[in-house]
Amino acid sequence: RRGVFLDNVYCDIKIFEPKASVTQCYKCYGFDHTAIWCPKRQQVCPHCSQSHKPSECLIKQENDTEQLKCPNCKDNRQHSATDSSCPKYNEKLTYLQSLQHGK
């Protein structure tokens, strides 16, 4: 057991292990930067990859999941850029986890 006494009370100590997290821009929905530092001039919709706000997306409004097109995957993979099943997102997450664990 590892711990310390604080005011005569024994407290267990756990090693802090930060979780890897992917930084995603909410302007272009790309990775490794935020909207403030986004190189794109126009907003990109995370649902259809067109140049409009996500709230204006007809595909999302109609809940037409067959028409979803992730702007990161560049083909019709039928998911949005914010979906955790996105292969590009998972590729980034796996890479960050490998750095964290020294693999």
Side-chain angles (χ1 to χ4, degrees):
R1 288 181 68 173
R2 292 159 85 176
V4 295
F5 281 96
L6 298 173
D7 288 331
N8 293 323
V9 176
Y10 183 80
C11 300
D12 285 326
I13 294 177
K14 294 181 182 178
I15 295 174
F16 174 70
E17 294 187 31
K19 293 187 177 184
S21 63
V22 177
T23 300
Q24 188 170 28
C25 175
Y26 287 99
K27 183 176 180 185
C28 74
Y29 291 88
F31 301 110
D32 302 327
H33 67 277
T34 60
I36 285 179
W37 301 107
C38 186
K40 305 278 184 175
R41 291 181 179 250
Q42 292 188 324
Q43 172 82 46
V44 175
C45 177
H47 310 297
C48 69
S49 301
Q50 299 297 315
S51 295
H52 57 250
K53 294 179 182 178
S55 60
E56 298 170 353
C57 184
L58 296 177
I59 289 171
K60 183 65 175 173
Q61 290 172 7
E62 294 169 3
N63 202 21
D64 188 359
T65 56
E66 290 184 14
Q67 295 299 316
L68 291 174
K69 186 174 182 182
C70 174
N72 295 308
C73 293
K74 305 291 187 212
D75 61 6
N76 195 4
R77 293 207 180 223
Q78 297 179 346
H79 65 268
S80 70
T82 57
D83 193 325
S84 61
S85 70
C86 173
K88 296 291 184 184
Y89 170 83
N90 284 303
E91 184 180 299
K92 287 284 182 187
L93 184 60
T94 301
Y95 172 71
L96 291 172
Q97 288 170 337
S98 72
L99 291 178
Q100 183 177 8
H101 298 294
K103 295 179 182 176

